[in-house]
Amino acid sequence: MTVPLVHTGHVFINFANQTFQWVHIHRYELPETGASDTALLAALIRDERFGDNYASVLGSDPERHGPYWRDRITPDCYTHVEAEGVERHLRSWAEQFAPLPEHLRPELQREVYRPLHAADRVYQLRDLGRAAFHDWGGVHNEFHEFVVIDHAARTMALMVAADD
C-alpha cells in the first residue's frame, strides 16, 4: 500500500554556539486512512526530502541519507523508543560541548520536546554500522534521527539532530 504524505514545512535550529550542532525537522500531514507505522516509515523513506546527507550545500541527495546509503534504510531500521528517553538523550547531546544558548530553550521545547510527548509513537533510526556508510559517511560526530508519529493529529515529523 502506497501512503501519500504531504510535506507541510521544515524547521532548522542552528545552535550557533561554536558546537556546530543543529536540529532539522521535516513535517508531514498524514492521510486519513489508518496506515500502519511501517507503511508510514516506508512512505517517508521514499519521500524526496529523505534524500539528504545533511552535510553538503547540495540539499537534495537521492542516494544518501545522513551518513548512510539511502537504499540501506528500511522501516525495519527503526526502533520504537519512549519520548522521555529521547528527550533526556537530546538534552544531554545539546549541552555536551557548551551550555545551550537561552534563546534556544523555548524553540527546542516548542519544536522538538512538545511534539515528542504528544506523539503516539516515536521511532529511532538505529546505528546501521560502518558497512552502511556512504562513500564519505561518518563526517558527523553524532547523528540522531527520530520519526515522531501523531495519529490523532494526523502528523509525522522527521527529526535529525547532528553536528558537523
Side-chain angles (χ1 to χ4, degrees):
M1 170 171 137
T2 301
V3 177
L5 297 177
V6 176
H7 187 257
T8 59
H10 70 97
V11 174
F12 183 76
I13 304 169
N14 186 347
F15 287 24
N17 62 352
Q18 277 93 51
T19 64
F20 304 101
Q21 292 171 284
W22 48 264
V23 176
H24 189 247
I25 303 166
H26 277 292
R27 291 203 174 94
Y28 298 87
E29 179 182 308
L30 300 180
E32 290 189 34
T33 62
S36 70
D37 289 356
T38 300
L40 293 173
L41 290 168
L44 176 65
I45 293 165
R46 282 191 307 273
D47 185 76
E48 66 181 284
R49 287 162 201 85
F50 193 78
D52 190 336
N53 58 52
Y54 297 101
S56 73
V57 296
L58 299 177
S60 179
D61 187 337
E63 295 180 345
R64 295 170 185 84
H65 176 78
Y68 304 116
W69 290 111
R70 187 175 178 180
D71 64 2
R72 307 279 172 92
I73 301 173
T74 68
D76 291 337
C77 296
Y78 289 87
T79 304
H80 174 252
V81 292
E82 297 298 324
E84 294 80 15
V86 172
E87 181 177 352
R88 278 192 308 276
H89 178 75
L90 288 175
R91 285 183 185 278
S92 175
W93 166 81
E95 298 205 50
Q96 69 181 326
F97 301 120
L100 187 68
E102 279 303 315
H103 72 278
L104 288 182
R105 291 184 191 283
E107 188 173 13
L108 287 171
Q109 183 65 35
R110 180 181 65 251
E111 304 293 347
V112 177
Y113 306 132
R114 195 174 299 141
L116 275 172
H117 291 285
D120 301 310
R121 303 284 280 188
V122 179
Y123 293 92
Q124 181 173 15
L125 178 63
R126 65 179 167 78
D127 182 347
L128 302 181
R130 297 190 71 75
F133 275 5
H134 58 68
D135 48 348
W136 48 271
V139 298
H140 298 101
N141 291 324
E142 293 191 37
F143 182 85
H144 309 280
E145 178 174 318
F146 304 95
V147 178
V148 178
I149 302 173
D150 187 337
H151 288 283
R154 291 185 39 229
T155 61
M156 180 169 63
L158 170 64
M159 297 181 177
V160 172
D163 52 68
D164 43 34

